[in-house]
Amino acid sequence: MRIHVIVGLVGALLVSALGPTGLSHAAEPYGGSVSLSADYTQLDTEHPTAKLSISTSKPLGSYRVGIYDDTGKLKYTPIYYGSLTVNLPTNTSRTYTAYVATSVPSDQPPPANPEAVSAPVTITNNGYTGSVSLSADYTQLDTEHPTA
């Protein structure tokens, strides 16, 4: 009887540690893909913001997706799917990438072992892209025309 109790206890511990199927409770691989797109990649005074949109090939389940910029800063963590509005200083560019991982920490660079990574999207703010012209009614001044 004593042996039976010990075997029963060991078996219960194994079922508790491995689950009823005998398999570990590690997360299943995501197995999908993530993409990132922008409505504008060239910003200017006419279009000063861009909207980045995330899409995935399959539901995220327990995974999270985050958008990081090229400085390694987390810019957006949607719970499921969503978009991010980007407004950059004039004459600058930023490159954004979406990552699918078990977590997307806000105070660290992108996850070291992501399950899926989007192609990068670069947004550039060109500032004012128009032209300026200057004309004068006189190109030479004299006593009859002292100003232009």
Side-chain angles (χ1 to χ4, degrees):
M1 176 142 170
R2 184 175 281 176
I3 295 173
H4 184 271
V5 171
I6 292 173
V7 170
L9 181 60
V10 170
L13 289 174
L14 284 174
V15 168
S16 174
L18 297 176
T21 61
L23 300 175
S24 173
H25 288 284
E28 292 291 322
Y30 174 63
S33 62
V34 62
S35 63
L36 188 62
S37 61
D39 59 351
Y40 295 102
T41 57
Q42 300 295 312
L43 305 181
D44 56 31
T45 54
E46 294 291 318
H47 300 102
T49 61
K51 184 171 135 182
L52 295 172
S53 298
I54 302 165
S55 63
T56 58
S57 63
K58 64 184 258 184
L60 290 170
S62 64
Y63 288 93
R64 298 291 174 254
V65 63
I67 300 173
Y68 288 81
D69 70 10
D70 53 0
T71 67
K73 293 184 180 169
L74 179 66
K75 294 301 182 180
Y76 187 66
T77 306
I79 294 171
Y80 297 104
Y81 305 98
S83 60
L84 167 68
T85 299
V86 176
N87 187 351
L88 299 177
T90 303
N91 300 320
T92 60
S93 292
R94 283 266 90 70
T95 300
Y96 300 90
T97 307
Y99 295 83
V100 172
T102 53
S103 67
V104 283
S106 61
D107 59 344
Q108 297 176 14
N113 297 311
E115 293 287 326
V117 179
S118 74
V121 173
T122 300
I123 309 290
T124 301
N125 185 341
N126 298 307
Y128 181 70
T129 57
S131 61
V132 176
S133 64
L134 176 64
S135 65
D137 52 356
Y138 296 102
T139 57
Q140 292 188 348
L141 303 179
D142 56 29
T143 54
E144 288 183 38
H145 303 96
T147 60

